Amino acid sequence: MRRSLLALALTAAAAFAPAASSAQPDAELPDDDATIEALQALRYDRCLDALNMLLDKERGEDTLSRIHRRLKAEAFACLGSHETALALYSSLLRDEADNPQYLFRRAQLHGALGRWKKAHRDCARLRLLTPSDDAHCKRCGEYALNARKYKEAVAFLSRHLLAREQDTEAQYLLALAHQGQKNLTQALLLINACLAANPAEGKYYAARALLYEQTEALRFAANDYQTYLTKKPADHSAWLRYAHLLRRLGRTREACGAFEQSEAHGNLDAGKHRHRYCR
């Protein structure tokens, strides 16, 4: 029984540790039933059970092993207590500043809280520690993109796509990173590839519409907005952008209708523009 629990524990450990593949595994493996059972509980999303097991064990211990502290962090993360999980991983990193597993996991927790610059900072250090590994590159590219670190986002996502060139979502993120760098031709090529792979995905049309606007291909942009808004009719910001684009094209009646749609879906600025342009 103990042997089967340990096997399951190791499987669970892999599930909650999406670390770089070159990272070294924990030197301390669980050597007691309570910790192994906590791993099993996390494996099946029994977050509170896992935390209670760990807290019960903690009350009787003078010092806590790394695996115990890490499991405790994951139990809190599982419960949605990302701040507490972050504090625990930061504590682990104070002991092992160069541990790629801890660093990537903390980056993920920062990302879950929308702290893009902090997530990117951890990813930048991770890249220095594991320059030959690409397991973290897609997620880190997304964090860099949200932090508006477009050059770094391009580097991360390009590295990811070297091995996974059919990853359409990564191509989309790379297109946005190139757009941030004003590499509009490259961004358009990538978005077109995304649409060729998945023509039903609305956000690709919205992204291409913005790129067409930036390259002054306004009629193409209008067509893409129209396609996107049939798929996502509640996007009031897109309705507003579409309305202004239609005005630029001289299609005033359609623009007024788009302003109305934007206002009806909750855009607080749309009414002001409608009163100004649609009397």
Side-chain angles (χ1 to χ4, degrees), residues 209-230:
L210 284 170
L211 286 165
Y212 279 144
E213 280 195 84
Q214 289 178 279
T215 56
E216 293 297 314
L218 302 187
R219 288 182 173 80
F220 289 135
N223 290 338
D224 276 350
Y225 274 125
Q226 189 174 31
T227 301
Y228 171 70
L229 288 165
T230 61

